Amino acid sequence: MTAPPGARVAAGALAVVVIGSLGLVALDVAASPFHRRTVTAGLTVLVLTPAVLLGQYAPPPYRLPYRWRWGLLLVQAVLTYVPIVVFQHRWFTLLGFLAGAVMLTLPPANSVPVALAVVASGPLLIHTGVVDSSRGSLVALLSATITASTVFAVTHLALLSSRLYGSKEQTARLAEQRAQARMRQDLHDLVGSSLVAIAMRAENTLRADASAESARAALTEVVELARRTQEDVRLISSPGAPRSLADEFARAQRLLTTSGIGVHASLPPRLELDDAVTECLRSVLHEAVGNLLEHSRATFCEIELHADPDDIRLTVRNDGVPTGSPPPSAAPGRGTGLAGLRGRVVALGGTLRTTPEDRTFSVTATLPLP
């Protein structure tokens, strides 16, 4: 996993704060009279504390799991108070690091009171005589407060940077997934219905006792439709290419006419729609025409788009439902089908109705206008 730039800067800043502060403590300890116990304990603390602190404060992706940070917090508390009580005031700097770790580990409701208690424990130890300090309680209080604030601010900014970086990556992934889903849908609708029309035209020519001239005309239509399908594929593969509802109406008319189906289409002039509404209506028209070509025996189709001040309604009606047969939307093998489109329509606050009546079948999508 690649660390975001902000996390790397924060990790470096934390390393400087931790190592620099402990270096000052080490110099202070080195200036005091040496005893074997002091040297042994001081070296132990100075070796373990940086590892514990860096493990506790590390920003993502180096951040340890929550339960591990709880364990490190307990170890850090021991490494903080034992040197203070045993070796006196020279280790008061560790209180600030402990308070910062408390604010980063505990829930927000409890972290601030506990951190304040940790910071106040230094002056309390001095006033009760447990620790003999020549620097005074105010110095201990300010030193712990400044260290805790610095540690918390740097680490918290690193966390925010990591989350922002992760949200950008997630947004990019979602955009890519949406683009792939849209391309699959367009391939299913545009290319699928075009191939069905080509197959139907070729089958009708093969079944009919057509003359050479009629067969040649049919082949010309098939070639033209194949070339337009190639243009559709090029349109799908071109990111951001405009695909208007008027173009979709013209394409549906062309497909139906080529398949020998009479068409009457009605589209309001100068219609300006939201992109989401346009895409949804295009998908409904795709699926309705594709179902008509593949599953019905229609001879006539009516496509009507009616716009009101508050909503817009698309109706695709055909006369190709045999008596007693299931409606086209229920036919198997149509990929997402009209049932899949219902969710897209409902997501925009609209309704999708399929109405079989005698030998007619209509699909009506109604969407509210923003």
Side-chain angles (χ1 to χ4, degrees), residues 216-227:
R216 184 179 181 84
L219 288 176
T220 302
E221 292 179 0
V222 168
V223 170
E224 180 65 21
L225 192 56
R227 287 177 177 173

Side-chain angles (χ1 to χ4, degrees), residues 182-204:
R182 179 174 178 175
M183 182 173 292
R184 286 195 299 267
Q185 184 67 32
D186 285 343
L187 285 172
H188 168 267
D189 293 331
L190 288 172
V191 180
S193 55
S194 297
L195 292 177
V196 169
I198 291 173
M200 290 183 60
R201 190 69 179 95
E203 288 174 357
N204 291 337

Side-chain angles (χ1 to χ4, degrees), residues 25-57:
V25 174
L27 292 176
D28 197 7
V29 172
S32 62
F34 282 93
H35 300 288
R36 178 177 299 179
R37 186 182 65 171
T38 304
V39 172
T40 302
L43 290 176
T44 302
V45 172
L46 290 175
V47 169
L48 292 179
T49 301
V52 172
L53 292 179
L54 292 176
Q56 183 71 20
Y57 302 143

Side-chain angles (χ1 to χ4, degrees), residues 284-348:
V284 173
L285 184 56
H286 287 160
E287 190 67 31
V289 171
N291 276 350
L292 185 156
L293 291 173
E294 188 170 353
H295 298 296
S296 75
R297 302 174 185 175
T299 60
F300 182 79
C301 178
E302 181 183 5
I303 305 174
E304 181 185 6
L305 186 66
H306 180 73
D308 290 327
D310 297 328
D311 56 33
I312 186 167
R313 183 173 66 255
L314 172 64
T315 302
V316 182
R317 183 181 298 107
N318 70 86
D319 61 351
V321 179
T323 304
S325 65
S329 62
R334 273 296 299 165
T336 55
L338 293 177
L341 290 176
R342 193 180 305 277
R344 298 180 61 177
V345 174
V346 172
L348 295 177

Side-chain angles (χ1 to χ4, degrees), residues 68-305:
W68 287 29
R69 297 203 308 275
W70 262 103
L72 287 178
L73 186 63
L74 296 178
V75 174
Q76 186 177 349
V78 173
L79 291 175
T80 298
Y81 283 104
V82 170
I84 291 176
V85 173
V86 176
F87 304 109
Q88 303 299 306
H89 68 275
R90 295 181 179 87
W91 299 91
F92 271 136
T93 304
L94 298 179
L95 288 175
F97 290 111
L98 179 61
V102 166
M103 289 191 291
L104 293 169
T105 304
L106 270 62
N110 302 325
S111 62
V112 175
V114 176
L116 291 176
V118 171
V119 171
S121 64
L124 182 62
L125 291 174
I126 294 175
H127 279 291
T128 56
V130 177
V131 177
D132 184 14
S133 174
S134 59
R135 296 181 178 179
S137 58
L138 182 59
V139 174
L141 180 65
L142 291 177
S143 175
T145 302
I146 293 172
T147 304
S149 302
T150 303
V151 168
F152 176 77
V154 173
T155 306
H156 191 63
L157 288 176
L159 290 174
L160 293 179
S161 173
S162 179
R163 289 169 184 166
L164 179 61
Y165 185 79
S167 65
K168 288 183 177 179
E169 285 191 335
Q170 181 67 13
T171 301
R173 283 195 296 268
L174 289 176
E176 183 180 358
Q177 292 174 1
R178 284 195 295 266
Q180 292 176 351
R182 179 174 178 175
M183 182 173 292
R184 286 195 299 267
Q185 184 67 32
D186 285 343
L187 285 172
H188 168 267
D189 293 331
L190 288 172
V191 180
S193 55
S194 297
L195 292 177
V196 169
I198 291 173
M200 290 183 60
R201 190 69 179 95
E203 288 174 357
N204 291 337
T205 304
L206 290 175
R207 290 171 184 169
D209 186 13
S211 62
E213 184 177 352
S214 299
R216 184 179 181 84
L219 288 176
T220 302
E221 292 179 0
V222 168
V223 170
E224 180 65 21
L225 192 56
R227 287 177 177 173
R228 291 186 178 274
T229 303
Q230 184 182 16
E231 294 178 3
D232 289 337
V233 173
R234 187 180 297 111
L235 184 64
I236 293 173
S237 60
S238 301
R243 284 170 281 187
S244 67
L245 199 57
D247 292 339
E248 208 54 55
F249 263 67
R251 179 184 171 278
Q253 286 181 282
R254 183 176 66 251
L255 283 176
L256 295 171
T257 302
T258 304
S259 302
I261 300 173
V263 186
H264 177 266
S266 175
L267 178 67
R270 298 180 182 178
L271 186 63
E272 295 183 1
L273 299 175
D274 183 77
D275 290 342
V277 174
T278 300
E279 280 298 313
C280 187
L281 293 176
R282 285 180 60 249
S283 298
V284 173
L285 184 56
H286 287 160
E287 190 67 31
V289 171
N291 276 350
L292 185 156
L293 291 173
E294 188 170 353
H295 298 296
S296 75
R297 302 174 185 175
T299 60
F300 182 79
C301 178
E302 181 183 5
I303 305 174
E304 181 185 6
L305 186 66

